[in-house]
């Protein structure tokens, strides 16, 4: 047994223990005959660094993984990184530009060599940071979405989808990033509220009989208008629609048909809307319903969002080559000159921006590769309704089903160089040959036919959708694939439920014939202490590594687990992290106390025999706590897991058991204390692995590290008599201590306790626990008789009234006066706060944090008043 230092220092133990676990392969011990259990980590971007969302996600996964490992299973936590197409390309391109090198100048192959060099030198910083958090992943089999085996899987999936007529090339609108000149996913688009304008325009009817008024937030896009839409039931326009009237557009002179479509809202403005199918997602669908083919839709921008001539050649030459911003200004001037601009109003406009480029995203019509995911979505829908996939919490099931039912074709191509290049080749006539290799494509095209490969790469989400099975060796029939697919559970943020989770379900069912995981657990966001979403612009982001530096990884992990409540976001307050660091310190101090009293490592996994009520009580409390803990694990209620073990360790064990056995360490008590502390370390280990491993090994020689210890399964019978007796003792001592505190009894004063005519059971308990009650409550004597004098405080426990004479111990009159004044002051403040909260003006106008503080202050003053009133009642 090694003596513990007086002060708990997380930094002194964390790196040492992590290196010990990893170097000895303890994250994936060899258990070929054990029941497999599998979870995959959402692959973080290779460019990324650990943020607080990662810390939550990976803490929850590690809690489950460590417990399953301790339950003797072949627990596999798959780890790896995502190649992060656009993010990585941007980082390397910026590095090269700082050296005066342009990507276009060096070409694709040379640029990709630079990326691989960057990855070798700088990529994967996040994996080192995950180690600091304590993530017990299978690092020996770390994967990367661009490694050779994974690339083979991605290529095979795309080719198979094409052969099954699910992958195809089409011209449609996409989110186009003009800075990076690529399509991006919805997830990479952030909507910002921008101060803009609403321009009201007048489009004259072709026959000169009037005009139709439309409004737009993007007047420059009128240059590619193809129609004006009105609601089919809007009586104002029925006659125009029936006679197929047209409007003549200002500036271009283009004739636009007036078409009926329910997209137009008769209650909004004039009820008519301009339709620009090539530059608006809603208008694209309106255009298709009107019979306009995508190839015929007008396009007025190039890849950098500068104005180009439309197919009909009607854009004035002076506008060609202008940026969107300059074109807008000039178009407004021309409309005004023609008398076509009726009015302009200021509006806050929701505007899409590229989350990395920071430029406004352009809906742009272009040739892209798509996957028809509707048939795949139907299988994922059925698997969820049948119970093959369980969604926790169930509240997210409705969102899941709605998206699967209304799913749209998935644009999977990106105009980047870094990523999985699409395995498609073209001949000079534009014919497409999709194959796993160039040789296979050549066989399809015929010998000697010149072929060029598609320049585009696949969306990062396409490859990560294969993560649950491609990481296990698919398409090869590997041992790991047979044992560990399907996975048991996936833990994911709700924000990627569509982009990743649903796509994994679809691809897993399509290519493996089974769901990728049995349970999908969705957690919320980590917000700041006030509930605000974290962002760099607000300056309220929290650095998990900084918290680890200040309080230790265990404190951060326990905080995140304790605050993770199903269906709710987390309001992260640093004070909570500090509080759980204090929890680890309390555990450390309890361990030192046990060591000083000759308690070492337990020699038994089974609960020891015990005769003393206090020892029989603590054994039963371990069994009760484990039952709560196991139930919370089964239901994936992380907050209840943490709550059960926290209250047992802090309250039951440290505050009471350790106090109750002070000075009474016989052989039985040492044995029970050793066993109980071992059970605590095992139950706590999934949450706070570092400090528990350190304490486990400090208590003496062990046959194995704590990370491999057996999860508790004590078969000890609970002793209800011992439980009732010790809980009665705790309540009696607590009530006496409260009375002493409330009535300002000096800590050094020893009191006499009187119990008038107690029942036999109370007499027996007082007889057995007399010394313990006297020591903990600081009593001079316990007398089984009534107290006939005045000036005694009363406490009631188990229906029995006990008296504590205070004459000569405190100034009773002065104490009554003090308590009365304090009660009056507390009630006055309570009532004042209640009046403020009842005032509608305060609730409506005050800042939310001010209202919240007033409520908290009111609750505090209410509780304070109750304490003073109870103290006065004790004095009679």
């Amino acid at each position: 047994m090694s003596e513990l230092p007086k002060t708990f220092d997380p930094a002194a133990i964390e790196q040492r223990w992590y290196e010990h676990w990893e170097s000895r392969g303890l994250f994936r011990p060899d258990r070929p005959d054990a029941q497999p259990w599998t979870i995959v980590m959402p692959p973080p971007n290779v460019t990324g660094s650990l943020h607080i969302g990662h810390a939550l996600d990976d803490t929850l996964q590690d809690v489950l993984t460590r417990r399953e490992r301790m339950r003797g299973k072949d627990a596999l936590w798959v780890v790896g990184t995502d190649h992060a197409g656009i993010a990585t390309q941007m980082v390397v391109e910026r590095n090269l530009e700082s050296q005066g090198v342009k990507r276009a100048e060096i070409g694709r192959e040379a640029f990709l060599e630079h990326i691989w060099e960057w990855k070798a030198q700088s990529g994967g910083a996040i994996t080192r940071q995950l180690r600091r958090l304590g993530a017990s992943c299978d690092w020996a089999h770390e994967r990367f979405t661009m490694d050779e085996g994974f690339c083979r899987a991605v290529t095979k999936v795309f080719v198979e989808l094409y052969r099954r007529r699910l992958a195809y090339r089409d011209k449609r609108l996409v989110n186009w990033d003009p800075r990076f000149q690529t399509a991006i996913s919805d997830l990479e688009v952030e909507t910002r509220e921008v101060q803009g304008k609403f321009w009201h325009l007048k489009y004259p009817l072709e026959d000169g009989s009037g005009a139709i008024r439309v409004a737009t937030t993007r007047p420059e896009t009128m240059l590619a208008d193809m129609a004006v839409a009105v609601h089919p039931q809007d009586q104002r326009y029925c006659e125009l629609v029936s006679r197929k009237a047209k409007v003549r557009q200002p500036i271009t002179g283009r004739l636009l048909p007036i078409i009926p479509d329910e997209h137009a809202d008769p209650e909004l403005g004039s009820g008519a809307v301009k339709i620009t199918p090539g530059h608006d997602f809603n208008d694209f669908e309106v255009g298709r319903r009107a019979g306009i083919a995508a190839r015929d839709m007008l396009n007025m921008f190039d890849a950098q969002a500068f104005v180009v001539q439309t197919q009909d050649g009607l854009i004035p030459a002076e506008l060609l080559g202008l940026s969107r911003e300059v074109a807008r200004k000039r178009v407004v001037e021309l409309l005004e000159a023609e008398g076509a601009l009726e009015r302009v109003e200021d509006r806050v406009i929701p505007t899409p921006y590229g989350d990395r480029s920071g430029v406004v995203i352009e809906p742009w019509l272009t040739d892209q590769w798509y996957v028809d995911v509707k048939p795949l979505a139907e299988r994922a829908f059925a698997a969820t309704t049948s119970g093959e996939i369980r969604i926790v919490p169930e509240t997210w099931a409705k969102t899941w089903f709605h998206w699967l039912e209304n799913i749209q074709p998935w644009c999977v191509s990106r105009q980047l160089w870094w990523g999985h290049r699409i395995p498609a080749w073209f001949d000079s006539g534009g014919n497409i040959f999709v194959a796993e290799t160039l040789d296979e494509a050549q066989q399809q095209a015929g010998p000697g036919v010149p072929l060029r490969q598609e320049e585009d790469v696949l969306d990062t989400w396409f490859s990560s959708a294969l993560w649950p099975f491609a990481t296990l060796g698919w398409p090869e029939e590997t041992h790991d694939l047979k044992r560990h697919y399907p996975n048991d559970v996936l833990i994911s943020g709700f924000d990627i439920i569509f982009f990743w989770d649903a796509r994994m379900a679809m691809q897993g069912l399509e290519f493996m014939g089974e769901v990728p995981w049995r349970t999908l657990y969705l957690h919320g966001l980590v917000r700041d202490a006030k509930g605000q979403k974290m962002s760099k612009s607000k300056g309220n982001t929290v650095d998990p590594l900084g918290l680890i530096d200040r309080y230790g990884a265990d404190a951060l992990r326990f905080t995140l687990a304790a605050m993770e409540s199903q269906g709710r976001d987390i309001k992260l307050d640093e004070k909570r992290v500090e509080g759980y660091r204090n929890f680890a310190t309390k555990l450390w101090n309890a361990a030192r106390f046990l060591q000083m009293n000759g308690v070492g490592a337990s020699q038994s996994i089974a609960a020891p025999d015990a005769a003393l009520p206090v020892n029989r009580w603590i054994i039963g409390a371990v069994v009760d706590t484990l039952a709560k803990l196991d139930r919370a694990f089964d239901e994936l209620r992380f907050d209840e897991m943490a709550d059960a073990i926290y209250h047992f360790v802090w309250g039951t064990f440290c505050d009471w058991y350790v106090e109750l056995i002070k000075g009474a360490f016989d052989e039985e008590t040492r044995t029970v204390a050793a066993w109980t502390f071992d059970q605590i370390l095992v139950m706590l280990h999934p949450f706070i692995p570092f400090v528990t491993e350190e304490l486990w090994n400090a208590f003496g020689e062990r046959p194995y590290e704590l990370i491999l210890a057996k999860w508790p399964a004590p078969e000890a019978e609970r002793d209800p008599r011992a439980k009732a007796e010790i809980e009665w003792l705790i309540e009696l001592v607590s009530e006496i201590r409260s009375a002493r505190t409330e009535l300002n009894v000096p800590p050094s004063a020893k009191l006499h306790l009187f119990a008038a005519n107690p029942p036999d059971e109370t007499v027996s308990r007082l007889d057995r626990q007399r010394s313990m009650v006297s020591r903990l409550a600081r009593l001079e004597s316990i007398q089984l008789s009534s107290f006939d004098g005045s000036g005694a405080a009363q406490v009631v426990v188990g229906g029995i009234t006990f008296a504590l004479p205070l004459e000569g111990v405190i100034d009773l009159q002065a104490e009554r006066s003090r308590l009365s004044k304090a009660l009056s002051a507390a009630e006055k403040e309570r009532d004042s706060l209640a009046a403020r909260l009842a005032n509608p003006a305060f609730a409506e106008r005050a800042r939310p944090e001010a209202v919240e503080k007033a409520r908290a202050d009111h609750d505090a003053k209410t509780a304070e008043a109750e304490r003073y009133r109870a103290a006065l009642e004790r004095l009679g």
Side-chain angles (χ1 to χ4, degrees):
M1 186 161 61
S2 57
E3 185 179 344
L4 290 166
K6 186 175 181 180
T7 306
F8 168 53
D9 178 12
I13 63 173
E14 290 179 353
Q15 184 177 352
R16 169 163 51 84
W17 275 116
Y18 198 93
E19 289 175 354
H20 176 93
W21 294 326
E22 185 176 1
S23 64
R24 286 163 175 75
L26 302 184
F27 295 149
R28 183 92 187 279
D30 187 26
R31 293 173 174 172
D33 300 322
Q35 178 185 344
W37 184 88
T38 316
I39 190 170
V40 297
M41 179 188 292
N45 287 353
V46 69
T47 57
S49 59
L50 192 74
H51 59 61
I52 199 67
H54 290 133
L56 170 64
D57 207 63
D58 297 320
T59 291
L60 302 183
Q61 293 169 63
D62 198 38
V63 166
L64 297 185
T65 303
R66 286 180 181 271
R67 176 176 179 259
E68 296 300 338
R69 190 184 294 119
M70 296 173 97
R71 294 177 76 194
K73 295 182 182 178
D74 175 18
L76 169 61
W77 185 8
V78 175
V79 65
T81 49
D82 191 285
H83 64 280
I86 195 167
T88 305
Q89 180 159 322
M90 184 175 75
V91 167
V92 176
E93 194 164 353
R94 191 184 297 137
N95 288 347
L96 289 173
E97 286 175 356
S98 70
Q99 303 165 33
V101 178
K102 296 279 188 184
R103 172 169 65 96
E105 295 170 357
I106 61 175
R108 186 172 194 142
E109 295 306 316
F111 181 71
L112 293 179
E113 285 178 17
H114 278 288
I115 291 185
W116 282 107
E117 286 174 13
W118 172 87
K119 180 187 179 292
Q121 293 169 9
S122 307
I126 194 167
T127 62
R128 295 187 291 276
Q129 294 163 353
L130 284 167
R131 288 171 165 88
R132 289 202 62 194
L133 186 67
S136 60
C137 324
D138 183 19
W139 294 109
H141 298 92
E142 183 180 349
R143 300 303 302 266
F144 179 51
T145 51
M146 286 290 286
D147 65 32
E148 185 179 347
F150 209 94
C151 285
R152 189 164 62 251
V154 172
T155 298
K156 185 172 184 65
V157 163
F158 183 86
V159 172
E160 282 299 315
L161 288 171
Y162 185 81
R163 287 173 181 164
R164 297 173 192 183
R165 300 181 181 276
L166 294 171
Y168 58 94
R169 204 161 184 262
D170 194 12
K171 186 183 285 290
R172 294 173 65 99
L173 272 191
V174 296
N175 295 312
W176 185 262
D177 189 314
R179 180 183 169 194
F180 293 138
Q181 297 180 46
T182 179
I184 63 174
S185 71
D186 290 344
L187 188 67
E188 294 162 309
V189 178
E190 62 177 35
T191 301
R192 303 179 193 171
E193 299 289 327
V194 175
Q195 192 61 49
K197 296 183 185 300
F198 217 37
W199 284 270
H200 294 261
L201 314 180
K202 185 169 60 178
Y203 283 11
L205 290 166
E206 179 187 16
D207 61 7
S209 62
I212 287 182
R213 282 140 183 92
V214 296
T216 179
T217 59
R218 303 183 66 204
E220 69 280 7
T221 61
M222 66 159 294
L223 300 174
D225 281 357
M226 297 190 73
V228 171
V230 296
H231 195 278
Q233 305 302 319
D234 194 331
Q235 296 301 314
R236 292 171 293 181
Y237 303 108
C238 287
E239 187 269 335
L240 293 174
V241 170
S242 65
R243 65 181 175 90
K244 297 185 178 178
K246 295 183 179 182
V247 296
R248 185 172 296 279
Q249 191 185 46
I251 301 179
T252 66
R254 185 181 296 128
L255 287 174
L256 307 179
I258 301 169
I259 60 174
D261 195 280
E262 291 184 356
H263 171 64
D265 183 353
E267 304 297 321
L268 193 63
S270 68
V273 291
K274 60 187 276 304
I275 301 300
T276 319
H279 296 286
D280 183 276
F281 288 102
N282 290 321
D283 292 3
F284 178 79
E285 297 301 331
V286 173
R288 284 174 29 131
R289 288 194 290 271
I292 304 173
R295 64 179 177 274
D296 297 326
M297 293 178 182
L298 298 180
N299 174 46
M300 58 168 285
F301 289 125
D302 65 12
Q304 293 176 287
F306 287 93
V307 177
V308 294
Q309 188 57 269
T310 50
Q311 297 92 306
D312 59 8
L314 294 178
I315 296 179
E318 67 169 296
L319 299 175
L320 301 179
L322 300 182
S323 69
R324 291 176 292 181
E325 298 76 19
V326 175
R328 175 175 299 179
K329 185 178 179 182
R330 186 63 186 132
V331 164
V332 169
E333 290 172 350
L334 292 172
L335 288 168
E336 200 166 14
E338 283 193 34
L341 179 62
E342 287 211 320
R343 61 191 174 92
V344 182
E345 60 178 297
D346 291 329
R347 281 277 186 94
V348 175
I349 312 294
T351 306
Y353 282 79
D355 64 350
R356 290 188 176 87
S357 67
V359 302
V360 175
I361 295 306
E362 185 63 46
W364 201 49
L365 202 58
T366 178
D367 290 310
Q368 301 285 344
W369 287 91
Y370 292 86
V371 174
D372 177 11
V373 283
K374 193 166 185 60
L376 281 65
E378 289 169 355
R379 294 184 68 184
F381 189 101
T384 313
T385 54
S386 70
E388 291 176 76
I389 293 175
R390 175 174 71 117
I391 296 177
V392 181
E394 287 185 9
T395 48
W396 281 107
K398 184 177 179 182
T399 304
W400 172 269
F401 288 134
H402 182 265
W403 189 75
L404 290 174
E405 284 182 301
N406 296 278
I407 202 161
Q408 298 296 313
W410 176 16
C411 176
V412 296
S413 48
R414 297 291 181 266
Q415 290 63 54
L416 302 170
W417 284 355
W418 173 242
H420 299 99
R421 196 166 175 182
I422 293 174
W425 285 262
F426 302 88
D427 64 14
S428 58
N431 297 305
I432 301 172
F433 307 96
V434 173
E436 293 187 39
T437 65
L438 173 59
D439 287 345
E440 290 178 18
Q442 195 69 65
Q443 288 175 19
Q444 294 176 29
V449 175
L451 297 176
R452 61 176 179 83
Q453 188 175 353
E454 168 67 82
E455 295 287 327
D456 293 355
V457 299
L458 288 164
D459 176 15
T460 298
W461 296 105
F462 184 92
S463 50
S464 60
L466 318 183
W467 196 245
F469 56 90
T471 52
L472 300 174
W474 188 90
E476 305 300 325
E477 284 287 332
T478 64
H479 176 71
D480 268 352
L481 184 65
K482 291 174 184 174
R483 270 178 67 76
H484 292 281
Y485 189 94
N487 306 165
D488 287 82
V489 61
L490 177 75
I491 291 183
S492 167
F494 73 84
D495 51 338
I496 55 172
I497 184 174
F498 311 132
F499 301 100
W500 192 48
D501 307 341
R503 286 165 178 168
M504 278 190 287
M506 292 188 287
Q507 297 285 43
L509 284 161
E510 182 70 17
F511 289 95
M512 297 297 297
E514 285 187 273
V515 296
W517 11 256
R518 305 295 185 196
T519 299
L520 170 60
Y521 180 90
L522 297 162
H523 61 75
L525 298 175
V526 183
R527 299 179 178 272
D528 70 10
K530 296 177 181 177
Q532 302 269 334
K533 188 173 181 179
M534 292 185 188
S535 70
K536 290 179 181 177
S537 60
K538 291 179 184 174
N540 65 343
T541 57
V542 173
D543 175 19
L545 298 174
L547 292 175
I548 290 173
D549 288 338
R550 290 193 290 281
Y551 305 109
D554 286 332
L556 176 60
R557 290 168 60 105
F558 203 90
T559 302
L560 294 170
M563 299 187 77
E564 169 53 26
S565 181
Q566 287 183 13
R568 295 181 183 176
D569 289 344
I570 289 174
K571 292 182 184 179
L572 184 62
D573 190 333
E574 189 167 330
K575 288 186 174 63
R576 288 291 293 268
V577 187
E578 184 179 6
Y580 289 123
R581 192 273 313 276
N582 296 341
F583 173 58
T585 300
K586 193 170 182 83
L587 182 72
W588 184 272
N589 291 338
R592 291 186 70 246
F593 172 78
L594 295 177
Q595 274 194 348
M596 287 187 288
N597 284 276
V599 176
S602 175
Q603 302 304 307
S604 170
I605 292 177
D609 293 330
L612 295 172
V614 70
N615 290 328
R616 296 178 68 79
W617 162 72
I618 197 65
I619 290 170
V622 169
V623 176
D624 288 341
T625 301
L626 180 65
K628 291 179 189 174
L629 198 53
D630 283 341
R631 185 166 57 251
F633 267 107
D634 290 344
E635 297 173 0
L636 292 176
R637 295 192 177 276
F638 291 92
D639 53 343
E640 292 181 12
M641 299 173 201
D643 185 71
I645 187 64
Y646 175 87
H647 283 100
F648 173 71
V649 174
W650 188 292
T652 306
F653 184 77
C654 293
D655 281 355
W656 285 109
Y657 182 69
V658 168
E659 286 298 314
L660 291 169
I661 63 174
K662 269 184 182 175
F665 277 94
D666 56 19
E667 194 56 38
E668 176 190 303
T669 301
R670 283 193 182 89
T671 302
V672 172
W675 177 84
T676 302
F677 196 65
D678 270 13
Q679 302 305 299
I680 284 172
L681 294 178
V682 174
M683 288 189 285
L684 271 175
H685 180 74
F687 304 92
I688 51 174
F690 293 110
V691 66
T692 50
E693 187 74 82
E694 178 74 6
L695 295 176
W696 174 266
N697 286 274
F699 267 59
E701 289 297 319
R702 304 279 194 173
Y704 38 72
E705 288 87 342
L706 178 58
I707 192 174
L708 299 183
K710 187 176 184 297
W711 185 253
E715 298 174 359
E717 290 187 12
R718 300 169 178 86
D719 183 342
R721 287 177 59 84
K723 183 177 190 291
E725 181 164 322
I726 300 303
E727 288 180 352
W728 168 86
L729 184 154
I730 289 171
E731 185 181 359
L732 177 59
V733 171
S734 298
E735 286 294 317
I736 295 171
R737 285 176 170 177
S738 294
R740 294 178 65 113
T741 301
E742 291 165 3
L743 300 172
N744 273 341
V745 175
S748 60
K750 289 197 170 185
L751 306 179
H752 299 277
L753 182 71
F754 287 81
N757 301 315
D760 291 345
E761 186 177 41
T762 302
V763 173
S764 299
R765 286 174 175 175
L766 283 170
D767 186 51
R768 284 191 296 271
Q769 308 297 344
R770 184 178 297 269
S771 63
M772 211 171 276
V773 173
S774 298
R775 174 170 60 85
L776 295 173
R778 296 197 59 76
L779 300 177
E780 186 68 42
S781 69
I782 299 175
Q783 301 179 37
L784 304 180
S785 61
S786 60
F787 175 69
D788 297 329
S790 60
Q794 295 183 342
V795 297
V796 179
V797 176
I800 310 300
T801 301
F802 295 85
L804 292 162
L806 297 175
E807 193 71 53
V809 179
I810 60 173
D811 184 334
L812 291 167
Q813 193 57 41
E815 191 58 28
R816 283 194 184 95
S817 175
R818 181 188 73 82
L819 289 169
S820 296
K821 288 178 182 175
L823 173 61
S824 177
E827 288 179 333
K828 184 178 179 181
E829 288 190 55
R830 176 200 64 193
D831 295 343
S832 172
L833 287 161
R836 190 189 308 175
L837 288 166
N839 183 350
F842 173 71
E844 291 169 10
R845 296 175 188 168
R847 296 192 311 275
E849 53 266 33
V851 176
E852 192 173 327
K853 183 178 185 305
R855 286 200 186 102
D857 290 346
H858 176 263
D859 292 344
K861 288 299 172 185
T862 301
E864 190 178 313
E866 288 301 320
R867 286 198 304 274
Y868 289 134
R869 183 176 291 105
L872 279 167
E873 288 171 357
R874 287 190 196 280
L875 289 175

